Amino acid sequence: GHTFIKFPRVIQTIEFTPSRRGLLHTRTADGLPLTLGLSFQFRYLPARLYQLYLDYQGEEELVYVNNARAVISNTACNFSAYTFFNDKQGIAAAMQKELNRKFGDSLGAYVEALQISNVELPDVFQEAIVTSISTKQNITRSQRYLENMQVTFAQRVMVAEQELTQTVAIANGTAKSRLEAAAASATITAQTVSAEMVAFLNLSQALGMTPSQTLDYLWWDELEAGKDTAKDFLVGINPAAFVNQK
């Protein structure tokens, strides 16, 4: 009789884990020993099933596992230990691409996805990586603090410059105001003295007074103006002589 050989339509999974087929052992591009735990999902290509059966007589899973082990180990050798520590997703994508090349060309299957679940590197290297990351974080933190302080100092300098400008402007305004007030006071004084001189000149000319008589007049006028506050009066002194002495 005849029988049917069944191939599943759903996605299949192959794992390399401690509980299933064991972890993979290989090396990084820089020669460090590397242990990987991963899994990938694939599906059979219907158009290739007949040839797949003829080639492997139902033992294709073992062929898949051996080929996957070889492809993954060889691909891992292209990446440094540091890359395995920082970019597992990128390495997984590269491994999936290489598996697809192999499975699509000769194994009648298509790899849908690949996940790296475990990466084991030498303890000394992992400790060095952790220390390096911590150091980089400290450097980044210090750089950010420096940048923040530079911004703060720049703001303080700006404020100080503005305060300096305001202080200079206020000082210049005050000085100008006082200078103008002093100039105005001097002008008023000069005009007052000039007016008084003209007035006394006109008075002396109108009355026909001599300079000596004009001084006497000024003397007695000053005494009259200050009689309410003056306490002493000088008697027997020639006003002209007193004024000339002054």
Side-chain angles (χ1 to χ4, degrees):
H2 298 283
T3 58
F4 289 97
I5 305 300
K6 296 181 180 181
F7 289 86
R9 298 170 63 94
V10 297
I11 291 177
Q12 304 297 299
T13 298
I14 291 179
E15 296 180 353
F16 294 97
T17 62
S19 60
R20 184 69 172 165
R21 300 185 184 89
L23 299 173
L24 298 178
H25 299 277
T26 182
R27 286 188 177 273
T28 64
D30 34 18
L32 293 176
L34 172 68
T35 302
L36 288 175
L38 56 81
S39 61
F40 66 91
Q41 293 74 42
F42 71 94
R43 57 181 173 83
Y44 294 103
L45 299 176
R48 305 279 296 278
L49 291 179
Y50 179 69
Q51 187 61 44
L52 182 65
Y53 179 76
L54 292 180
D55 290 341
Y56 304 115
Q57 298 294 314
E59 299 296 328
E60 67 279 350
E61 182 177 351
L62 179 60
V63 176
Y64 285 178
V65 169
N66 291 336
N67 277 272
R69 192 188 303 274
V71 169
I72 292 170
S73 297
N74 290 335
T75 304
C77 293
N78 296 325
F79 298 94
S80 67
Y82 187 81
T83 306
F84 272 99
F85 199 87
N86 286 303
D87 190 22
K88 288 191 294 185
Q89 186 174 356
I91 295 174
M95 289 179 174
Q96 179 185 345
K97 181 179 179 180
E98 293 302 318
L99 281 177
N100 255 327
R101 192 192 311 275
K102 180 65 176 179
F103 277 48
D105 289 346
S106 58
L107 300 178
Y110 177 80
V111 178
E112 296 281 351
L114 184 146
Q115 305 84 32
I116 298 177
S117 57
N118 186 35
V119 175
E120 294 181 7
L121 291 163
D123 292 340
V124 174
F125 175 80
Q126 295 195 147
E127 291 173 0
I129 287 293
V130 171
T131 302
S132 174
I133 292 175
S134 177
T135 301
K136 287 183 178 180
Q137 290 176 344
N138 291 335
I139 292 174
T140 301
R141 189 180 303 112
S142 298
Q143 288 176 339
R144 289 178 179 174
Y145 176 77
L146 175 61
E147 292 171 357
N148 291 336
M149 292 306 298
Q150 287 176 338
V151 172
T152 300
F153 289 151
Q155 292 175 343
R156 291 181 179 178
V157 169
M158 187 181 302
V159 171
E161 290 177 347
Q162 291 176 348
E163 291 179 349
L164 173 61
T165 301
Q166 293 175 356
T167 301
V168 171
I170 292 172
N172 288 336
T174 301
K176 184 177 180 180
S177 175
R178 292 180 178 177
L179 182 62
E180 291 176 351
S185 177
T187 300
I188 292 172
T189 301
Q191 291 175 348
T192 301
V193 171
S194 177
E196 290 179 351
M197 290 174 64
V198 172
F200 282 118
L201 178 60
N202 292 335
L203 178 63
S204 62
Q205 289 177 351
L207 299 177
M209 298 172 62
T210 64
S212 177
Q213 291 173 333
T214 302
L215 290 175
D216 289 343
Y217 172 80
L218 290 175
W219 170 264
W220 295 113
D221 184 66
E222 286 295 324
L223 288 179
E224 177 66 20
K227 66 180 182 179
D228 295 332
T229 57
K231 297 181 178 179
D232 300 318
F233 291 93
L234 298 177
V235 179
I237 296 178
N238 184 1
F242 185 81
V243 172
N244 289 331
Q245 183 181 1
K246 299 293 285 186

